[in-house]
Amino acid sequence: MADPVDVLVNVPMFSGVGRKELKRLVDRMSERTFAEGEVAVEEGRGGVGFWMIQDGDAAVSIGGEIVRTLGPGDYFGEVALLDDGPRSATVTAASDMRCLGIASWEFRPFVLEHPEMALAMMQTLARRLREAEARAGT
Protein backbone atom coordinates (compact mmCIF):
# COMPACT_ATOMS: atom_id res chain seq x y z
CA MET A 1 0.00 0.00 0.00
CA ALA A 2 1.53 3.27 -1.16
CA ASP A 3 1.82 6.34 1.00
CA PRO A 4 -1.04 8.68 -0.05
CA VAL A 5 1.35 11.60 -0.49
CA ASP A 6 3.50 9.49 -2.84
CA VAL A 7 0.37 8.74 -4.87
CA LEU A 8 -0.76 12.39 -4.96
CA VAL A 9 2.68 13.48 -6.17
CA ASN A 10 1.93 11.58 -9.40
CA VAL A 11 -1.55 13.08 -9.93
CA PRO A 12 -1.17 15.74 -12.67
CA MET A 13 -3.52 18.22 -11.04
CA PHE A 14 -1.27 18.32 -7.98
CA SER A 15 1.87 19.14 -9.94
CA GLY A 16 3.74 22.00 -8.39
CA VAL A 17 2.32 21.33 -4.93
CA GLY A 18 4.98 20.51 -2.36
CA ARG A 19 4.96 17.39 -0.21
CA LYS A 20 4.19 19.40 2.93
CA GLU A 21 1.05 20.86 1.33
CA LEU A 22 0.03 17.47 -0.07
CA LYS A 23 0.30 16.02 3.42
CA ARG A 24 -2.07 18.75 4.60
CA LEU A 25 -4.47 17.80 1.80
CA VAL A 26 -4.28 14.11 2.72
CA ASP A 27 -5.09 15.06 6.32
CA ARG A 28 -8.34 16.61 5.02
CA MET A 29 -9.27 13.47 3.08
CA SER A 30 -11.29 10.51 4.31
CA GLU A 31 -11.07 6.86 3.30
CA ARG A 32 -13.89 4.98 1.57
CA THR A 33 -14.07 1.50 0.13
CA PHE A 34 -16.17 0.38 -2.83
CA ALA A 35 -16.94 -3.30 -3.42
CA GLU A 36 -16.41 -4.81 -6.86
CA GLY A 37 -19.36 -3.78 -9.05
CA GLU A 38 -20.37 -0.87 -6.81
CA VAL A 39 -20.98 2.46 -8.51
CA ALA A 40 -18.80 5.15 -6.96
CA VAL A 41 -20.29 8.03 -8.96
CA GLU A 42 -23.12 8.00 -11.48
CA GLU A 43 -23.34 9.97 -14.70
CA GLY A 44 -25.94 12.73 -14.54
CA ARG A 45 -26.20 12.72 -10.76
CA GLY A 46 -24.92 15.49 -8.55
CA GLY A 47 -21.67 15.11 -6.76
CA VAL A 48 -19.36 17.09 -4.56
CA GLY A 49 -16.57 14.59 -3.97
CA PHE A 50 -13.14 14.02 -5.44
CA TRP A 51 -11.72 10.50 -5.14
CA MET A 52 -8.18 9.20 -5.47
CA ILE A 53 -7.77 5.44 -5.93
CA GLN A 54 -5.28 3.90 -3.54
CA ASP A 55 -5.98 0.23 -4.28
CA GLY A 56 -8.12 -1.49 -6.89
CA ASP A 57 -9.43 -0.64 -10.33
CA ALA A 58 -12.46 1.10 -11.81
CA ALA A 59 -14.21 1.40 -15.15
CA VAL A 60 -15.33 4.80 -16.42
CA SER A 61 -18.39 4.77 -18.65
CA ILE A 62 -20.31 7.44 -20.53
CA GLY A 63 -23.75 6.54 -21.81
CA GLY A 64 -23.14 2.94 -20.77
CA GLU A 65 -19.95 2.62 -22.88
CA ILE A 66 -16.64 2.05 -21.08
CA VAL A 67 -14.27 4.81 -22.16
CA ARG A 68 -11.30 4.20 -19.87
CA THR A 69 -10.08 2.34 -16.84
CA LEU A 70 -8.57 3.73 -13.67
CA GLY A 71 -6.18 2.24 -11.16
CA PRO A 72 -4.05 3.20 -8.16
CA GLY A 73 -2.97 6.81 -8.40
CA ASP A 74 -5.81 7.77 -10.73
CA TYR A 75 -8.60 10.05 -9.63
CA PHE A 76 -12.10 11.13 -10.50
CA GLY A 77 -14.61 13.76 -9.46
CA GLU A 78 -12.52 16.88 -9.98
CA VAL A 79 -15.03 18.42 -12.40
CA ALA A 80 -17.85 18.23 -9.85
CA LEU A 81 -15.56 19.80 -7.28
CA LEU A 82 -15.31 22.87 -9.48
CA ASP A 83 -18.96 23.44 -10.27
CA ASP A 84 -21.09 21.11 -8.10
CA GLY A 85 -22.75 20.01 -11.35
CA PRO A 86 -23.81 16.56 -12.45
CA ARG A 87 -21.24 13.83 -12.96
CA SER A 88 -20.00 13.55 -16.54
CA ALA A 89 -19.40 9.81 -16.27
CA THR A 90 -20.15 6.74 -14.20
CA VAL A 91 -17.26 5.18 -12.27
CA THR A 92 -17.76 1.57 -11.22
CA ALA A 93 -15.36 -0.44 -9.09
CA ALA A 94 -13.91 -3.19 -11.32
CA SER A 95 -12.41 -4.81 -8.21
CA ASP A 96 -12.62 -4.02 -4.53
CA MET A 97 -11.37 -0.47 -4.39
CA ARG A 98 -10.05 1.76 -1.62
CA CYS A 99 -10.10 5.51 -2.15
CA LEU A 100 -9.28 8.71 -0.37
CA GLY A 101 -11.81 11.45 -0.92
CA ILE A 102 -12.52 15.05 -0.17
CA ALA A 103 -15.66 17.17 -0.50
CA SER A 104 -15.74 20.47 -2.39
CA TRP A 105 -16.22 22.57 0.75
CA GLU A 106 -12.94 21.14 2.08
CA PHE A 107 -11.14 21.18 -1.28
CA ARG A 108 -11.85 24.74 -2.43
CA PRO A 109 -10.00 26.46 0.42
CA PHE A 110 -6.99 24.23 -0.32
CA VAL A 111 -7.01 25.29 -3.99
CA LEU A 112 -7.20 28.95 -2.98
CA GLU A 113 -4.17 28.41 -0.76
CA HIS A 114 -2.29 26.75 -3.68
CA PRO A 115 -3.15 28.58 -6.92
CA GLU A 116 -0.51 26.63 -8.87
CA MET A 117 -2.77 23.63 -8.49
CA ALA A 118 -5.61 25.45 -10.27
CA LEU A 119 -3.50 25.78 -13.43
CA ALA A 120 -2.61 22.08 -13.39
CA MET A 121 -6.29 21.22 -12.94
CA MET A 122 -7.25 23.34 -15.94
CA GLN A 123 -4.63 21.62 -18.08
CA THR A 124 -5.95 18.20 -17.07
CA LEU A 125 -9.54 19.23 -17.78
CA ALA A 126 -8.53 20.65 -21.17
CA ARG A 127 -6.86 17.34 -22.10
CA ARG A 128 -10.00 15.44 -21.08
CA LEU A 129 -12.17 17.80 -23.11
CA ARG A 130 -10.00 17.22 -26.17
CA GLU A 131 -10.26 13.45 -25.66
CA ALA A 132 -14.05 13.70 -25.39
CA GLU A 133 -14.26 15.85 -28.51
CA ALA A 134 -12.07 13.38 -30.42
CA ARG A 135 -14.38 10.51 -29.40
CA ALA A 136 -17.39 12.52 -30.52
CA GLY A 137 -15.71 13.40 -33.83
CA THR A 138 -15.86 17.15 -33.33
Side-chain angles (χ1 to χ4, degrees), residues 1-52:
M1 176 182 340
D3 173 51
V5 173
D6 290 337
V7 174
L8 285 177
V9 165
N10 294 309
V11 175
M13 70 179 226
F14 295 118
S15 65
V17 180
R19 292 186 68 82
K20 183 177 179 180
E21 290 78 18
L22 291 176
K23 171 68 172 116
R24 289 184 183 139
L25 178 61
V26 168
D27 290 343
R28 294 181 188 186
M29 299 175 94
S30 58
E31 188 173 299
R32 166 101 192 263
T33 58
F34 298 92
E36 182 177 351
E38 184 176 355
V39 173
V41 299
E42 188 172 351
E43 182 178 4
R45 293 212 150 182
V48 294
F50 162 84
W51 298 101
M52 180 193 69

